[in-house]
Amino acid sequence: MSTARTRQRSTAEERRATVMRTAIKTFAVRGYYGTSTMDVAKAAGISQGYLYRLFPDKESLFAALIDHCSQLLREAAATAAAKVATTDPDTVLAAISASYEDVIADREVLMILMHGNCAAGEPVIGEAVRACYAKQVEYLRAVSGASDEQLRRYFADALLGNVVRAVGADTVDAPWARTLRG
């Protein structure tokens, strides 16, 4: 009896998950426009042809990354909101804000969100970015009971925080950087 193992082939869904993990890392570095599908395929250890079997085009792959990041944000917000013992909108939003900070502490997620905004002129990506914002706004409205003004302030602070982190102003000790950090 042979003790040699037979190699199990991964399913398309497993390969898709591997591509997503690799694509986040690859696109985070050089963005949508600076990253080719060949770069992603090579990093994932698959052929470019197989990548196109999993995702019809580069836009669809990047849109899937935006959707993935959107889901991470919503899951973190849900977990944070569930731990709050009050229905005060400011308290709920403060807890969700802390969870948001935890998610974007992963620089790759932060950079995918930033690059997504920059590539929103591409139709499929623009739709994914708009859907991400729509889901986040409507979820936060439902779970917090916050007013439009409270939600606007939450998103203004979060988006400014994204820029501060993305450009490294969170590590700069200068008046302008301290002003932006709040």
Side-chain angles (χ1 to χ4, degrees):
M1 184 162 140
S2 172
T3 59
R5 288 186 175 177
T6 57
R7 183 172 169 233
Q8 287 189 338
R9 301 186 99 183
S10 59
T11 66
E13 200 53 43
E14 289 167 340
R15 274 293 192 203
R16 189 175 166 86
T18 298
V19 168
M20 291 288 288
R21 282 191 303 276
T22 323
I24 285 176
K25 295 175 190 313
T26 309
F27 279 112
V29 174
R30 295 185 30 217
Y32 175 76
Y33 296 108
T35 304
S36 70
T37 54
M38 183 58 83
D39 296 332
V40 174
K42 184 177 177 183
I46 62 173
S47 71
Q48 189 175 25
Y50 190 71
L51 177 67
Y52 283 123
R53 287 178 53 199
L54 298 171
F55 297 93
D57 52 37
K58 182 176 160 182
E59 275 186 334
S60 298
L61 171 57
F62 198 82
L65 294 177
I66 296 293
D67 292 342
H68 172 72
C69 291
S70 180
Q71 185 62 31
L72 292 176
L73 293 172
R74 190 188 170 301
E75 289 169 1
T79 299
K83 293 178 182 177
V84 176
T86 179
T87 58
D88 174 59
D90 287 326
T91 304
V92 175
L93 288 177
I96 292 171
S97 180
S99 76
Y100 180 82
E101 295 291 324
D102 290 343
V103 173
I104 66 163
D106 179 340
R107 185 160 178 84
E108 292 164 354
V109 171
L110 168 64
M111 295 311 294
I112 292 299
L113 293 170
M114 296 295 289
H115 290 306
N117 289 331
C118 294
E122 303 296 331
V124 173
I125 296 169
E127 184 55 38
V129 170
R130 287 186 294 279
C132 176
Y133 282 117
K135 288 175 191 173
Q136 302 309 316
V137 169
E138 294 313 323
Y139 180 74
L140 293 185
R141 180 189 319 278
V143 76
S144 71
S147 68
D148 284 350
E149 184 54 37
Q150 287 169 309
L151 290 169
R152 200 172 5 267
R153 174 58 33 211
Y154 170 86
F155 281 93
D157 289 346
L159 294 172
L160 178 58
N162 288 357
V163 172
V164 165
R165 276 198 174 83
V167 303
D170 55 336
T171 62
V172 174
D173 186 25
W176 69 268
R178 287 190 298 273
T179 298
L180 292 180
R181 287 191 305 262

